[in-house]
Amino acid sequence: MKKRFLCLANSRKYTNRCIAGIELADKTRPGFKYDLVESEKGPRWIRPVSGQGHGEVAAALVEHIHLLDIVEIDGCVAHPQGFQTENVLFNGCPPSWVDRIRPDPALLEKLLTRNEPLLFGTAARCIAKEVCASLSYSLVLIHPQHVHFHHETSFSGKPQVRCGFLYQNIGYDLPVTDIAFLQRHSTDLSQLDNHDDLFFAVSLGVEFEGFHYKLIAGIIECNG
């Protein structure tokens, strides 16, 4: 079975990648190229995973994929793992590039996750695994405000880019794992401070020492 999706997250996962996006269907409305596949929280997400390790996808398979690309994967089988209900196993072939959309704030506003006053139900950086058992999703798209990027040292002693921001008037400070963003901006983060038209794909990661951490897995930059 083939699945088509709009890529909104392309992030580092161990030494490989995690890609994810919003599922698309063939158009049914005149004037539209694609239809969104909907869920109760808004557009439905999909995360292709491998059958190895923590489901990370080999970097070589997705080097040609960028945020806002529309891609297809084949041989898909639903593979939910706890709250990561978006996971699908695929055949391990490189995703096929289909199309690309422009970074239009008005369009991206239509893709935002609905009914999400707190990120995954809390304002904390991480969630205990016992609490995550009550969740049924692990990916959201948000439009943050008052963003501020900064460098910090991770628990493992490595340099880390983080972003402080407001969402629904609640403050957060989360690590950035978007590969392309880090390559473009890690040496000069101040240029994006208080940028009005950034959209974040936020993911709830795999367990680490009893907790699941919130990660900014995709940053879409629109012209403010």
Side-chain angles (χ1 to χ4, degrees), residues 14-28:
Y14 300 100
T15 58
N16 286 299
R17 300 288 181 86
C18 175
I19 63 170
I22 286 173
E23 189 172 354
L24 302 174
D26 292 334
K27 65 179 181 180
T28 58

PDB file of all heavy atoms in Angstrom, residues 14-28:
ATOM      1  N   TYR A  14      19.275   9.483  16.677  1.00  0.00           N
ATOM      2  CA  TYR A  14      20.540   8.783  16.845  1.00  0.00           C
ATOM      3  C   TYR A  14      21.452   9.215  15.692  1.00  0.00           C
ATOM      4  O   TYR A  14      21.636  10.400  15.472  1.00  0.00           O
ATOM      5  CB  TYR A  14      20.314   7.278  16.958  1.00  0.00           C
ATOM      6  CG  TYR A  14      19.431   6.941  18.139  1.00  0.00           C
ATOM      7  CD1 TYR A  14      18.079   6.667  17.977  1.00  0.00           C
ATOM      8  CD2 TYR A  14      19.953   6.950  19.429  1.00  0.00           C
ATOM      9  CE1 TYR A  14      17.274   6.404  19.082  1.00  0.00           C
ATOM     10  CE2 TYR A  14      19.150   6.684  20.534  1.00  0.00           C
ATOM     11  CZ  TYR A  14      17.818   6.408  20.345  1.00  0.00           C
ATOM     12  OH  TYR A  14      17.022   6.165  21.435  1.00  0.00           O
ATOM     13  N   THR A  15      21.995   8.312  14.912  1.00  0.00           N
ATOM     14  CA  THR A  15      22.846   8.727  13.792  1.00  0.00           C
ATOM     15  C   THR A  15      22.084   8.734  12.475  1.00  0.00           C
ATOM     16  O   THR A  15      22.670   8.980  11.426  1.00  0.00           O
ATOM     17  CB  THR A  15      24.057   7.782  13.666  1.00  0.00           C
ATOM     18  OG1 THR A  15      23.583   6.437  13.483  1.00  0.00           O
ATOM     19  CG2 THR A  15      24.914   7.851  14.924  1.00  0.00           C
ATOM     20  N   ASN A  16      20.784   8.485  12.522  1.00  0.00           N
ATOM     21  CA  ASN A  16      19.975   8.431  11.309  1.00  0.00           C
ATOM     22  C   ASN A  16      18.872   9.482  11.351  1.00  0.00           C
ATOM     23  O   ASN A  16      19.073  10.557  11.885  1.00  0.00           O
ATOM     24  CB  ASN A  16      19.448   7.013  11.105  1.00  0.00           C
ATOM     25  CG  ASN A  16      20.543   6.066  10.637  1.00  0.00           C
ATOM     26  OD1 ASN A  16      21.131   6.249   9.582  1.00  0.00           O
ATOM     27  ND2 ASN A  16      20.842   5.043  11.430  1.00  0.00           N
ATOM     28  N   ARG A  17      17.719   9.203  10.771  1.00  0.00           N
ATOM     29  CA  ARG A  17      16.685  10.222  10.623  1.00  0.00           C
ATOM     30  C   ARG A  17      15.320   9.744  11.096  1.00  0.00           C
ATOM     31  O   ARG A  17      15.025   8.558  11.136  1.00  0.00           O
ATOM     32  CB  ARG A  17      16.554  10.624   9.150  1.00  0.00           C
ATOM     33  CG  ARG A  17      17.798  11.208   8.522  1.00  0.00           C
ATOM     34  CD  ARG A  17      18.108  12.612   9.030  1.00  0.00           C
ATOM     35  NE  ARG A  17      19.292  13.138   8.384  1.00  0.00           N
ATOM     36  CZ  ARG A  17      19.288  13.768   7.223  1.00  0.00           C
ATOM     37  NH1 ARG A  17      18.164  13.958   6.578  1.00  0.00           N
ATOM     38  NH2 ARG A  17      20.418  14.213   6.702  1.00  0.00           N
ATOM     39  N   CYS A  18      14.509  10.738  11.419  1.00  0.00           N
ATOM     40  CA  CYS A  18      13.083  10.538  11.631  1.00  0.00           C
ATOM     41  C   CYS A  18      12.375  11.535  10.722  1.00  0.00           C
ATOM     42  O   CYS A  18      12.592  12.741  10.836  1.00  0.00           O
ATOM     43  CB  CYS A  18      12.708  10.781  13.089  1.00  0.00           C
ATOM     44  SG  CYS A  18      10.935  10.686  13.410  1.00  0.00           S
ATOM     45  N   ILE A  19      11.567  11.031   9.806  1.00  0.00           N
ATOM     46  CA  ILE A  19      10.771  11.920   8.959  1.00  0.00           C
ATOM     47  C   ILE A  19       9.299  11.681   9.273  1.00  0.00           C
ATOM     48  O   ILE A  19       8.900  10.584   9.680  1.00  0.00           O
ATOM     49  CB  ILE A  19      11.053  11.722   7.458  1.00  0.00           C
ATOM     50  CG1 ILE A  19      10.673  10.307   6.992  1.00  0.00           C
ATOM     51  CG2 ILE A  19      12.500  12.031   7.124  1.00  0.00           C
ATOM     52  CD1 ILE A  19      10.699  10.160   5.493  1.00  0.00           C
ATOM     53  N   ALA A  20       8.503  12.721   9.090  1.00  0.00           N
ATOM     54  CA  ALA A  20       7.074  12.604   9.374  1.00  0.00           C
ATOM     55  C   ALA A  20       6.353  13.747   8.669  1.00  0.00           C
ATOM     56  O   ALA A  20       6.960  14.745   8.279  1.00  0.00           O
ATOM     57  CB  ALA A  20       6.810  12.659  10.877  1.00  0.00           C
ATOM     58  N   GLY A  21       5.051  13.586   8.525  1.00  0.00           N
ATOM     59  CA  GLY A  21       4.279  14.641   7.895  1.00  0.00           C
ATOM     60  C   GLY A  21       2.805  14.340   7.917  1.00  0.00           C
ATOM     61  O   GLY A  21       2.345  13.384   8.563  1.00  0.00           O
ATOM     62  N   ILE A  22       2.059  15.155   7.209  1.00  0.00           N
ATOM     63  CA  ILE A  22       0.606  15.055   7.174  1.00  0.00           C
ATOM     64  C   ILE A  22       0.178  14.277   5.935  1.00  0.00           C
ATOM     65  O   ILE A  22       0.622  14.562   4.821  1.00  0.00           O
ATOM     66  CB  ILE A  22      -0.023  16.458   7.223  1.00  0.00           C
ATOM     67  CG1 ILE A  22       0.119  17.013   8.645  1.00  0.00           C
ATOM     68  CG2 ILE A  22      -1.469  16.438   6.775  1.00  0.00           C
ATOM     69  CD1 ILE A  22      -0.311  18.435   8.809  1.00  0.00           C
ATOM     70  N   GLU A  23      -0.685  13.288   6.168  1.00  0.00           N
ATOM     71  CA  GLU A  23      -1.086  12.383   5.087  1.00  0.00           C
ATOM     72  C   GLU A  23      -2.004  13.093   4.095  1.00  0.00           C
ATOM     73  O   GLU A  23      -2.870  13.890   4.472  1.00  0.00           O
ATOM     74  CB  GLU A  23      -1.791  11.160   5.670  1.00  0.00           C
ATOM     75  CG  GLU A  23      -2.057  10.075   4.651  1.00  0.00           C
ATOM     76  CD  GLU A  23      -2.588   8.796   5.255  1.00  0.00           C
ATOM     77  OE1 GLU A  23      -2.657   8.690   6.505  1.00  0.00           O
ATOM     78  OE2 GLU A  23      -2.950   7.902   4.467  1.00  0.00           O
ATOM     79  N   LEU A  24      -1.790  12.809   2.819  1.00  0.00           N
ATOM     80  CA  LEU A  24      -2.574  13.390   1.737  1.00  0.00           C
ATOM     81  C   LEU A  24      -3.275  12.299   0.943  1.00  0.00           C
ATOM     82  O   LEU A  24      -2.792  11.170   0.842  1.00  0.00           O
ATOM     83  CB  LEU A  24      -1.681  14.201   0.796  1.00  0.00           C
ATOM     84  CG  LEU A  24      -0.896  15.356   1.412  1.00  0.00           C
ATOM     85  CD1 LEU A  24       0.052  15.965   0.377  1.00  0.00           C
ATOM     86  CD2 LEU A  24      -1.825  16.426   1.971  1.00  0.00           C
ATOM     87  N   ALA A  25      -4.400  12.659   0.364  1.00  0.00           N
ATOM     88  CA  ALA A  25      -5.157  11.738  -0.489  1.00  0.00           C
ATOM     89  C   ALA A  25      -5.362  12.388  -1.849  1.00  0.00           C
ATOM     90  O   ALA A  25      -5.137  13.591  -2.028  1.00  0.00           O
ATOM     91  CB  ALA A  25      -6.500  11.402   0.154  1.00  0.00           C
ATOM     92  N   ASP A  26      -5.790  11.603  -2.812  1.00  0.00           N
ATOM     93  CA  ASP A  26      -6.111  12.148  -4.132  1.00  0.00           C
ATOM     94  C   ASP A  26      -7.222  13.184  -4.009  1.00  0.00           C
ATOM     95  O   ASP A  26      -8.141  13.056  -3.187  1.00  0.00           O
ATOM     96  CB  ASP A  26      -6.546  11.031  -5.081  1.00  0.00           C
ATOM     97  CG  ASP A  26      -5.407  10.097  -5.424  1.00  0.00           C
ATOM     98  OD1 ASP A  26      -4.241  10.533  -5.369  1.00  0.00           O
ATOM     99  OD2 ASP A  26      -5.683   8.919  -5.732  1.00  0.00           O
ATOM    100  N   LYS A  27      -7.150  14.190  -4.839  1.00  0.00           N
ATOM    101  CA  LYS A  27      -8.105  15.293  -4.741  1.00  0.00           C
ATOM    102  C   LYS A  27      -9.523  14.826  -5.049  1.00  0.00           C
ATOM    103  O   LYS A  27      -9.755  13.923  -5.869  1.00  0.00           O
ATOM    104  CB  LYS A  27      -7.710  16.405  -5.709  1.00  0.00           C
ATOM    105  CG  LYS A  27      -7.792  16.010  -7.189  1.00  0.00           C
ATOM    106  CD  LYS A  27      -7.414  17.181  -8.071  1.00  0.00           C
ATOM    107  CE  LYS A  27      -7.523  16.776  -9.552  1.00  0.00           C
ATOM    108  NZ  LYS A  27      -7.169  17.888 -10.457  1.00  0.00           N
ATOM    109  N   THR A  28     -10.468  15.432  -4.340  1.00  0.00           N
ATOM    110  CA  THR A  28     -11.884  15.211  -4.633  1.00  0.00           C
ATOM    111  C   THR A  28     -12.598  16.535  -4.879  1.00  0.00           C
ATOM    112  O   THR A  28     -13.735  16.547  -5.322  1.00  0.00           O
ATOM    113  CB  THR A  28     -12.577  14.487  -3.462  1.00  0.00           C
ATOM    114  OG1 THR A  28     -12.427  15.273  -2.265  1.00  0.00           O
ATOM    115  CG2 THR A  28     -11.978  13.104  -3.238  1.00  0.00           C
TER     116      THR A  28
END
